[in-house]
Amino acid sequence: MLTKLLIVAVLVLIVFNLFRALAALLNKDKAKDPSAVVRALTIRVALSVGLFVALLVGAYFGIIPTHGLR
């Protein structure tokens, strides 16, 4: 159950950073911080790659059960 909660938490963080980048992109005050979009998208990509690697490692070590075709 803890694994599922961690996966959902990371997915929520990914979506949050996606909308944070959108908000920074649509912000009228461009002089405030022009690299905010790049930073938010970088964090989003890093979280996505980290989640993917964590899922692969979890499946490899048996933490996450796999239900593949046999």
Side-chain angles (χ1 to χ4, degrees):
M1 185 67 182
L2 179 63
T3 307
K4 291 180 185 179
L5 289 175
L6 289 174
I7 291 170
V8 169
V10 172
L11 287 173
V12 168
L13 283 173
I14 289 170
V15 171
F16 172 74
N17 276 297
L18 183 62
F19 281 107
R20 195 167 93 177
L22 178 65
L25 185 65
L26 297 176
N27 191 6
K28 300 291 183 192
D29 187 21
K30 301 285 186 192
K32 185 177 176 184
D33 191 9
S35 65
V37 176
V38 175
R39 188 175 337 111
L41 290 176
T42 302
I43 292 171
R44 179 186 165 265
V45 169
L47 285 171
S48 298
V49 170
L51 179 62
F52 183 73
V53 169
L55 289 174
L56 287 177
V57 169
Y60 180 77
F61 287 114
I63 298 170
I64 301 170
T66 57
H67 302 287
L69 298 174
R70 294 177 196 212

